[in-house]
Amino acid sequence: SVATDKFEASLVEPIKTFQKANGLLDDGIIGKPTIDKLNTKPVEYIEKIKLSMERFRWSTYSDSSKYILVNIPDFYLHMIDNGQEKFSIKVCTGRRKSDNFEERMKYYVKNHKWQVKPNDWETPQIWGQVTHMVLNPTWSVPPSIVKEEIYHAIMKDSTYLKKRNFKVYKNGKAVDIASVNLRNYSPNKIPYSFVQDPGAGNALGKIKFIFKNKFGVYLHDTPTRGPFSNSVRAVSHGCMRVEKPFQLAEYILKGHSKWNADYIKIETGFAVPDNTIVAEFKRKRDDLRRGSSYGKTTEVKLEQYLPVYVDYFTAWVDDNGIVNFRPDIYSKDKILSRFLFVKE
């Protein structure tokens, strides 16, 4: 009936608001994820707020007027300038550790066999400063990814390396891809290293943002777009994939004396409709790349470094005054609660 339709329609917006506040897909449909959140006990929400308030006590953000904040459980990057959020961008973060990670790690420590060492690809909580961007980056594949993924991909498809623009090295020297036969090796003892050239399908996409840290993680583009449509985006090997890297690059480059967003697009192969700008870039390109180019790869050094904070909050109040909650994706709340909430 008309009355029923009106009643159901009146519920959609509140449901969407609830879904958005809980990091769900705000589709207005009361599916299992929404029902599970609706059944969450008030005491659980209260504890989550207390845990995040404790973490906020540990955090001292930059005195700088401009910085990047990535909240891991939220899977978003926030660009902050003069205390205001200018925009937010979806990110993908590292995969959570396996449920039996601790047991596997104990076994590894006891037996000292690196072959059984469990992978930890969770994105760390860190602070750094973005010093430069890399356009058309190469990708040096970490040994753990070679073992877990590249090895098996090559075994399934002998043309895998060629199709994805890889170069192969042994003892630091390039070898012919055609001579690489991994059937002679176990995944734990591969004598080769693999580097993916810039271009279509490169795992780092067209641009990456570098900030020095001991974990070797960074922000980067990606050709894998599917996960950005998910509400939970813990899918990477630790680095943070950025859905709209050029939006971030454009904002970072505001006021840069040499590079701008149009130059970045042209250098990475995207069309810029203004022929005057294209001609201008062609005249300047050699000077722009001098001392900062490696074949197709180009470094864009920032004239002013940009602080970046990668943090972990499962509860916070947004600019609209709505309390937001997110899943404890890395079980950090679970660990902290053992110390914050002492059971009598």
Side-chain angles (χ1 to χ4, degrees):
S1 68
V2 174
T4 301
D5 291 342
K6 287 183 177 180
F7 175 73
E8 291 178 349
S10 70
L11 294 177
V12 170
E13 286 308 315
I15 291 170
K16 284 187 174 183
T17 299
F18 176 84
Q19 290 173 326
K20 186 175 182 180
N22 283 274
L24 304 172
L25 296 178
D26 53 343
D27 52 15
I29 299 173
I30 307 179
K32 186 178 184 302
T34 301
I35 292 173
D36 288 343
K37 290 296 181 183
L38 288 169
N39 287 331
T40 300
K41 298 177 181 178
V43 67
E44 294 179 47
Y45 283 122
I46 292 171
E47 288 192 353
K48 193 177 284 285
I49 291 172
K50 289 179 178 179
L51 291 166
S52 285
M53 288 179 68
E54 176 67 15
R55 286 201 181 88
F56 276 117
R57 291 179 58 247
W58 307 342
S59 304
T60 303
Y61 290 142
S62 173
D63 291 334
S64 169
S65 62
K66 182 190 294 187
Y67 61 90
I68 293 170
L69 171 63
V70 176
N71 185 11
I72 296 171
D74 187 30
F75 303 108
Y76 268 92
L77 174 156
H78 305 271
M79 186 70 239
I80 310 298
D81 201 342
N82 287 319
Q84 299 294 318
E85 181 179 304
K86 296 301 180 180
F87 56 83
S88 61
I89 303 173
K90 290 180 181 180
V91 297
C92 295
T93 62
R95 304 173 192 172
R96 64 173 296 160
K97 288 181 283 195
S98 61
D99 292 336
N100 63 345
F101 178 87
E102 297 298 334
E103 290 75 15
R104 292 175 62 190
M105 181 58 73
K106 288 178 183 178
Y107 181 82
Y108 162 72
V109 171
K110 182 179 180 180
N111 293 277
H112 301 289
K113 294 181 179 180
W114 67 268
Q115 297 94 332
V116 299
K117 183 179 180 181
N119 289 315
D120 181 359
W121 285 326
E122 293 185 352
T123 299
Q125 292 173 252
I126 48 176
W127 172 87
Q129 289 183 304
V130 179
T131 56
H132 61 284
M133 297 181 285
V134 181
L135 311 180
N136 304 315
T138 59
W139 179 43
S140 297
V141 187
S144 59
I145 300 179
V146 172
K147 171 187 172 183
E148 293 290 332
E149 298 182 15
I150 301 296
Y151 174 87
H152 301 287
I154 295 171
M155 296 295 282
K156 291 180 181 178
D157 181 1
S158 61
T159 64
Y160 176 86
L161 295 173
K162 184 176 181 180
K163 287 192 297 189
R164 287 165 176 75
N165 298 318
F166 277 101
K167 288 181 179 177
V168 182
Y169 297 85
K170 187 175 184 180
N171 298 324
K173 296 182 179 180
V175 300
D176 184 358
I177 288 179
S179 69
V180 177
N181 185 359
L182 295 189
R183 296 186 183 280
N184 297 325
Y185 307 97
S186 77
N188 297 316
K189 295 183 179 180
I190 299 173
Y192 302 106
S193 57
F194 302 85
V195 178
Q196 190 176 37
D197 282 341
N202 182 283
L204 305 183
K206 295 289 187 178
I207 183 171
K208 65 178 180 178
F209 305 83
I210 302 299
F211 56 99
K212 187 177 180 180
N213 62 86
K214 67 179 182 180
F215 301 99
V217 301
Y218 43 83
L219 297 155
H220 68 86
D221 181 21
T222 176
T224 307
R225 313 305 296 177
F228 289 117
S229 63
N230 300 331
S231 57
V232 176
R233 298 186 285 275
V235 297
S236 79
H237 296 97
C239 288
M240 292 152 282
R241 305 174 188 174
V242 183
E243 183 184 33
K244 299 177 180 178
F246 288 93
Q247 180 183 3
L248 179 60
E250 181 176 9
Y251 199 85
I252 290 175
L253 288 174
K254 281 185 175 180
H256 198 286
S257 63
K258 296 179 180 179
W259 285 89
N260 59 46
D262 286 325
Y263 290 180
I264 293 285
K265 290 177 182 176
I266 297 169
E267 181 67 12
T268 52
F270 290 94
V272 171
D274 191 329
N275 291 329
T276 303
I277 294 176
V278 174
E280 178 184 84
F281 176 73
K282 287 181 178 179
R283 290 196 304 270
K284 294 181 177 181
R285 185 172 186 264
D286 287 344
D287 286 335
L288 288 169
R289 300 184 83 233
R290 185 169 289 115
S292 299
S293 62
Y294 313 91
K296 295 180 181 180
T297 302
T298 302
E299 289 186 357
V300 176
K301 297 179 175 64
L302 300 187
E303 296 174 337
Q304 188 171 13
Y305 296 167
L306 180 64
V308 55
Y309 299 87
V310 182
D311 227 322
Y312 193 94
F313 300 109
T314 55
W316 70 94
V317 179
D318 64 22
D319 291 339
N320 297 316
I322 296 174
V323 183
N324 280 247
F325 299 96
R326 296 294 183 272
D328 182 21
I329 190 67
Y330 290 165
S331 298
K332 290 182 179 290
D333 279 1
K334 183 178 180 180
I335 295 171
L336 181 57
S337 66
R338 297 174 190 166
F339 300 92
L340 196 61
F341 307 126
V342 179
K343 306 295 183 182
E344 295 183 359

